[in-house]
Each structure stands twice: as C-alpha cells, then as structure tokens.
Amino acid sequence: MPINLSKVETEAPALVSLAKQAAVALEQRGLGDASAAVYLVLDHSRSMQPHYRSGAVQRLAEQALALCAHLDDDGVVPVVFFGSEAAPAVDVRLSEYEGVIEHLHVRQPWGTTNLPAAMRAVVAHYRASGSADPALVITQTDGNPNSRRDAAHTMRDVSGLPLFWSFVGFGDRIEFLEKLDSLRGRRVDNASLVHAADPHAMGDAELYDGLLHEYPAWLEAARAAGVLPA
C-alpha cells in the first residue's frame, strides 16, 4: 500500500517522526507498497525486568507500531508476551500506545524463556486471522531459550509458512539467535537478527535497517518456493 502518514498524524502524532523513519527504510528496500501483518513478541523472563523498567520494551513497541502503520492499514500490532508459557496475543493500537507495555506486562508472570511456545502462539493467531498478507514477526529476547532443540525444530517447522521472524537480541547473549539466523534445514531462510546490546543506544533508523534488511530476500525466496503466491 502507498506510504501514508495520515493515520499516524491523527491517532499518534508523537510517533510521526518514527513513522517517517520507517517509511524511509521501507522505500530504500523497495517495500513502499508492501503489505504485511506486523507482530511483536516480547520476552518476559526474569532477566528482562531492567529492560521493562527502563522503557526499552515500550520503545520497541512504538517502533513496531510506526512500522505497522505503513504495512498494515488497521494500525494494530498483536503482542505476545512469553515466559515459561506464551500468553494470548493482545492487540495494541496506534490510538492507545502510550504506556501500553507497562499496562500489559504487569498482568504477566515472570518466567523462563519458552521461545517455541511464543512462536507457536503467533502461528495459531496468524492462521486464525485469515490474513492474506505475509507476517513480519518482530521477536525480542535477551537470552537462550529453555530448549535449544525445540526452538531449532520449531524454526524449521514454520519455515514453510508465510511468516518472517525478525529477531531483536537485547544484551550480550545472542549466540543462539545467531544460530537460528543461519539454521540449516529450513524450506527458506525465514529469519534475521538485530543485535541491540544496549537498546537505548540503538537509533531508530538502525533498528529499522536491521528489522528489514533480509525481508525483501525472504519475500523473493518465499514466492519462488511457493510459500507465498508468485
């Protein structure tokens, strides 16, 4: 769909600057007319507590919403929190973004890092939505999953679906995310990685560059493999 800032200007004027940067990143990759369902998956393990307190997770939600405003005209990002289990997706809207992560995450228990459960929850939600567009799944975590074997199996299992997993690694423990990014045995390469060692030090343009830099290649490969319509 054409880049259009009117929805952001009306519903979330404080996010206009972010939306403009998202537009630039999309245009640079030939995605100015692209459509996608944008998801946000958030680690709610105990080690994530400082990132919630600092506002880093709220900022990521705002960045996701600004990107969603261009890719999905409903301006809604389903958010999935995961710890020891995955919580049901909660819709976050442009019109109600301020403080939304603090409001939502306090309802969730702190847990471990059950990444595969979160991935399966996104797949179930996407299938139930009936969306005809591909999904860009922004998936944030700060450490290794409970089961690396299960996470790798799930990554391979979902590689034939029209979902692209853009991982955002907070902190320094990203070794397993790097392995997922280059994992063998997938139908198509369905993942990328942004390393935000200090999320507050990463600029918006840098984040968008990281989220999108492999997405056009995935679209092309997914169409060639029959994962997306040609």
Side-chain angles (χ1 to χ4, degrees), residues 2-226:
I3 296 297
N4 190 332
L5 293 176
S6 61
K7 190 175 185 69
V8 185
E9 291 170 344
T10 301
E11 298 188 9
L15 298 186
V16 168
S17 177
L18 266 180
K20 288 180 178 178
Q21 293 190 68
V24 170
L26 289 164
E27 292 284 8
Q28 286 176 339
R29 286 156 186 79
L31 298 169
D33 295 323
S35 296
V38 178
Y39 284 80
L40 180 60
V41 178
L42 296 173
D43 187 346
H44 208 257
S45 59
R46 294 185 186 278
S47 60
M48 279 292 299
Q49 292 181 25
H51 296 301
Y52 282 91
R53 287 196 300 266
S54 73
V57 183
Q58 171 69 28
R59 183 61 174 172
L60 183 61
E62 293 169 6
Q63 291 161 328
L65 278 166
L67 183 61
C68 173
H70 298 299
L71 293 171
D72 191 339
D73 62 5
D74 67 4
V76 175
V77 174
V79 176
V80 174
F81 292 94
F82 73 100
S84 302
E85 304 293 339
V90 179
D91 287 346
V92 172
R93 304 174 185 277
L94 277 170
S95 57
E96 53 190 32
Y97 77 92
E98 294 182 276
V100 68
I101 294 302
E102 180 64 23
H103 174 69
L104 293 175
H105 96 87
V106 296
R107 306 177 186 177
Q108 309 300 329
W110 297 108
T112 55
T113 311
N114 193 345
L115 177 61
M119 296 176 70
R120 291 189 285 265
V122 170
V123 170
H125 185 280
Y126 176 80
R127 285 173 165 161
S129 75
S131 176
D133 292 328
L136 174 61
V137 188
I138 301 169
T139 307
Q140 181 278 323
T141 184
D142 75 336
N144 297 318
N146 297 352
S147 171
R148 299 185 183 201
R149 182 176 181 179
D150 190 12
H153 174 79
T154 304
M155 195 82 249
R156 294 187 181 99
D157 193 45
V158 302
S159 65
L161 300 176
L163 293 89
F164 182 80
W165 305 83
S166 192
F167 289 101
V168 181
F170 282 10
D172 297 322
R173 294 182 299 162
I174 65 162
E175 296 84 0
F176 185 71
L177 293 181
E178 291 175 329
K179 290 181 179 179
L180 284 184
D181 186 26
S182 58
L183 187 68
R184 295 181 179 180
R186 291 173 291 170
R187 184 169 175 182
V188 293
D189 180 350
N190 59 337
S192 65
L193 173 61
V194 186
H195 183 200
D198 177 358
H200 289 290
M202 175 170 280
D204 302 317
E206 184 180 1
L207 177 80
Y208 287 134
D209 180 68
L211 292 176
L212 296 170
H213 77 283
E214 292 188 40
Y215 187 65
W218 172 76
L219 289 173
E220 182 177 350
R223 292 184 184 112

